[in-house]
Amino acid sequence: MSDAPQITVPATYMRGGTSKGTFFRIEDLPKIAQENQGAKDKLLLRVVGSPDPYGKQIDGMGGATSSTSKTVLVGKSSVPNHDVDYYFGQVSIDKPFMDWSGNCGNLSSAVGPFAIKSGYVENVVQNGIQTVRIWQANIKKTILCHVPIKDGRVQEIGDYEIDGVAFPAAEIKLEFVEPVDPSEELFPTGNLVDDLEVPGVGTFKATMITAGIPTIFLNADEIGYKGTELQSDINSDKEALKRFETIRAYGAIKMGLISDVKEAETRAHTPKVAFVSKSQNYTASSGKEITVDDIDLNVRALSMGQLHHAMMGTASVAIGVAACIPGTLVNLAAGGADLDSVTFGHPSGTLKVGASISKENGKFKVEKASMSRSARIIMEGKVHVPADTME
């Protein structure tokens, strides 16, 4: 048996928040993948193990969920006052498609440690907190990643716990600076709440917002749910998933992201669909009991056509911003008060998010949104793909 030709690329497999992905230094990619987007997509699809008609990604690094079918590219920043440029690629599991239209807030927490370890950050503190200035190149936004350092090295071990992650680690604070530029519309329709008409499905109250990631928020009871559902309650229902995808497509049109519902198939990562309800007791997927005293509201969100096992980091930013603006569905579910932070319940537990928001000339300005995550390196080495992958 002869060895087949292979392409070998240095790679790091990391957890960030409740997501995992394969990280690459841009300069380590084959030259053709650096210069040609099609070749880059083919390479990364093969690395992760897509497209896989069996939906398992057995022949790659992916974990066959939206939370684990991810890639990250990092390089020295070309933007002044930033340390690194960060590109996020969401990989379709069963289709030959990569979506570069958004960000992964969870993996953003791993970009800081990866940047430090890769030598992209100058004058790293010996002990304390190192702020890594990240340019999120997909969406052209700044993220500040505050990484704990001990004896000149990234500190991964700690006692900070995240619902949805089995083991504690060191806390990494994230700040999403001006997640919506003042020139952009925070609410693309101009309304805090719209009537979203979805042919064949119904008409629903919806808050559509662009902070963090374009997101469509619905009321759980209007779409037939309590708001305390777990993955198994929705992901096993193919008709429900089809309805959610239809809602997502028509919401994307209303937000001006696409012009025809068919375009939603090529924009699977954005927008997200989420549904909210007032705080209720429920049992999280781990068996942990969540009570009304623990949370301000419940939120469930779908990513890449499936209910997320916890909460996407970028959607958490959208939740935090929407919650802090009186009159949105998120704010109303949290009690309708003036807020600067909320703790929400998700399928795996709870998460606290906050936002600083001002108003100028009648227009909301999001100065920053914040949350805490953790990250660690799982594996470092080289990933191998067949030599004809990029042909």
Side-chain angles (χ1 to χ4, degrees), residues 17-76:
T18 55
S19 293
K20 293 190 294 185
T22 310
F23 282 60
F24 299 91
R25 289 163 37 115
I26 293 173
E27 61 264 34
D28 288 338
L29 297 178
K31 188 174 181 180
I32 187 174
Q34 294 182 44
E35 298 174 349
N36 182 280
Q37 186 65 47
K40 182 188 300 176
D41 286 0
K42 288 178 181 179
L43 173 67
L44 298 178
L45 280 161
R46 193 68 173 87
V47 164
V48 177
S50 292
D52 184 348
Y54 304 101
K56 301 298 183 184
Q57 290 178 329
I58 293 297
D59 199 23
M61 299 291 290
T65 68
S66 68
S67 302
T68 55
S69 187
K70 298 173 180 285
T71 60
V72 169
L73 307 179
V74 179
K76 191 69 177 176

Side-chain angles (χ1 to χ4, degrees), residues 15 46 57 73 89 95 106 125 138 156 159 176 183 191 199 207 222 225 240 262 278 291 324 328 338 351-352 371 388:
R15 177 188 65 78
R46 193 68 173 87
Q57 290 178 329
L73 307 179
K95 297 180 180 65
N106 276 298
V125 299
N138 295 41
E156 292 187 341
D159 56 7
F176 299 85
S183 61
N191 303 315
T207 289
E222 283 195 64
Y225 294 109
K262 291 294 290 182
K278 293 182 178 179
T291 73
C324 296
T328 69
D338 288 329
L351 177 63
K352 183 176 181 179
M371 64 178 176
D388 62 358

Side-chain angles (χ1 to χ4, degrees), residues 145-166:
C145 185
H146 303 287
V147 183
I149 304 293
K150 186 175 182 179
D151 298 329
R153 301 178 64 183
V154 173
Q155 182 181 348
E156 292 187 341
I157 305 303
D159 56 7
Y160 179 69
E161 296 184 350
I162 297 174
D163 287 329
V165 178

